[in-house]
Amino acid sequence: MKNFQAEKAVVRAHHEALFKANPSTVAHALGGRTTPSWHWRGMHPFHEQSGAEAVAAAFWGPFLTAMTRVQHRPDIFMAGENEIDGNQSVWVTSMGHFMGLFDRPFLGIRPTGKIVMLRYAEFNKVEDGRITETALFVDIPHLMMQAGQNPFPPQTGAHLVQLGPATHEGLMYGAQDPATGQESLRAINAMLTGMGDDSDTPYPEKLARTWHDDMIWWGPAGIGATCTIPRYVRQHGAPFRGALLEGYQFNGHLCRLAEGNFGGFFGWPNLTLTNSGGFMGMTASPHPADMRVVDIYRVEDGKLAENWIFIDILHYLNMQGLDILGRMESLCHTNDT
């Protein structure tokens, strides 16, 4: 049975080189353990890039220019075979925060000179000792809120710098029991299957089949975090279902894996949705739009106990004609005059 130690070592070395780099050296650091045709997927406005030079120019160079003394603070580190391609590929997943001093503008967001924590989730496909694909999700609106530049109406959940797993066991640098990972994947898949249940069973009861009653849902900025099934229903589930179920289309995942008591997936995009009005306080839109989503889970006793969510909300809203970053930059210029 594969233990994924070689693949984990590649990604850990990649991260070590990356977070020692500066804006002028980051392209070289990124190229050390990636292939020349490295396929990198990032959230709006970074989108898809090919090769270390392009990735450095699109994201890491500007980020390391804006943020000084950056620290990588992971809460979850795991690896596994990708269920979506029939377990043919191995992916290494990391989740946590990039912490730094916000000293220069980033994407039109004005700096604070103070600590900020950028939430991230990253999936790396490792083949023959090199990273061939990456998906990096970062919560840009969460950064805006920390900088006092909230672009959204009041959110239904709580605004927090989000914690890692309650059990503090998410950093799985060593080999794990494969049977535990298989059980975690089973619990995640049971939840996904249950989402498609069109019976008349009340929504909270459906959730209770696969979620603990005191579950914690660490949602993205613009929605927020919530806990317990009743509060999850009130603060996210009901608003989401009320505004987005009409024309709901599930597009599938690119990667889904589990190791130990953790697992997760991402899609590109996972969903295509039409906002009938009210979601995140936004008005209705006639245009369907894509949601690129990451879900990371902690499983306990066969049910889901914690869930960290990343949604490319900026891309979703941009497809509906609302350019959040452009508006933020214009407000910044307006305040300067």
Side-chain angles (χ1 to χ4, degrees):
M1 184 67 69
K2 201 169 178 60
N3 62 21
F4 314 117
Q5 290 301 97
E7 291 84 359
K8 289 181 180 180
V10 169
V11 173
R12 293 186 71 185
H14 174 73
H15 286 162
E16 182 178 3
L18 172 58
F19 290 98
K20 288 180 178 178
N22 58 49
S24 62
T25 64
V26 69
H28 177 75
L30 291 170
R33 290 168 182 83
T34 58
T35 57
S37 59
W38 177 34
H39 184 187
W40 187 90
R41 299 174 177 89
M43 301 175 84
H44 179 85
F46 314 111
H47 302 289
E48 298 185 64
Q49 307 292 333
S50 180
E53 293 283 350
V55 174
F59 177 75
W60 283 109
F63 180 74
L64 293 176
T65 298
M67 310 290 170
T68 57
R69 301 298 183 99
V70 174
Q71 296 183 20
H72 180 210
R73 302 180 69 89
D75 294 307
I76 293 174
F77 186 86
M78 61 182 172
E81 293 176 339
N82 181 9
E83 182 182 57
I84 302 304
D85 65 10
N87 302 321
Q88 295 302 302
S89 61
V90 172
W91 293 69
V92 180
T93 301
S94 175
M95 189 207 79
H97 294 84
F98 304 142
M99 188 186 86
L101 297 171
F102 193 1
D103 286 342
R104 296 179 184 85
F106 183 61
L107 300 175
I109 309 167
R110 300 182 299 279
T112 63
K114 300 177 183 179
I115 289 175
V116 289
M117 307 279 282
L118 180 60
R119 299 178 64 228
Y120 84 92
E122 183 185 68
F123 287 70
N124 289 290
K125 183 179 181 179
V126 181
E127 299 177 280
D128 299 323
R130 312 286 283 189
I131 299 171
T132 59
E133 294 185 41
T134 295
L136 176 63
F137 283 64
V138 290
D139 195 339
I140 299 297
H142 192 248
L143 177 64
M144 292 179 176
M145 291 180 181
Q146 291 174 68
Q149 298 155 59
N150 183 1
F152 298 130
Q155 59 185 33
T156 50
H159 170 64
L160 303 167
V161 174
Q162 298 186 1
L163 302 178
T167 54
H168 302 283
E169 60 179 5
L171 296 175
M172 294 175 283
Y173 295 130
Q176 306 295 310
D177 178 8
T180 304
Q182 291 167 7
E183 281 302 301
S184 296
L185 191 59
R186 182 208 60 76
I188 293 168
N189 285 332
M191 179 274 300
L192 293 172
T193 302
M195 287 174 62
D197 178 6
D198 60 359
S199 69
D200 293 331
T201 304
Y203 182 49
E205 292 182 24
K206 290 181 183 179
L207 292 172
R209 295 170 183 166
T210 54
W211 294 87
H212 285 279
D213 179 66
D214 60 351
M215 52 88 79
I216 305 174
W217 193 84
W218 301 102
I223 301 171
T226 186
C227 70
T228 75
I229 287 177
R231 295 296 173 89
Y232 168 81
V233 171
R234 183 193 308 173
Q235 296 173 359
H236 175 63
F240 184 96
R241 292 162 63 86
L244 300 177
L245 280 192
E246 184 178 342
Y248 178 101
Q249 177 181 311
F250 175 60
N251 302 314
H253 300 142
L254 289 187
C255 178
R256 186 160 67 237
L257 59 85
E259 186 179 36
N261 291 316
F262 297 83
F265 53 73
F266 80 93
W268 199 262
N270 309 46
L271 307 170
T272 301
L273 306 163
T274 301
N275 181 11
S276 61
F279 180 62
M280 292 175 54
M282 302 297 178
T283 57
S285 170
H287 307 295
D290 294 336
M291 271 194 180
R292 304 163 175 169
V293 183
V294 164
D295 280 71
I296 304 290
Y297 299 92
R298 180 175 70 84
V299 178
E300 184 176 314
D301 298 327
K303 286 189 172 184
L304 306 180
E306 293 187 85
N307 182 198
W308 294 263
I309 308 289
F310 296 77
I311 302 175
D312 194 347
I313 290 174
L314 297 181
H315 177 61
Y316 175 75
L317 295 176
N318 195 60
M319 289 186 71
Q320 298 177 67
L322 180 55
D323 182 0
I324 293 289
L325 293 176
R327 185 170 184 272
M328 184 63 61
E329 189 165 9
S330 69
L331 290 174
C332 181
H333 291 322
T334 299
N335 291 339
D336 288 342
T337 58

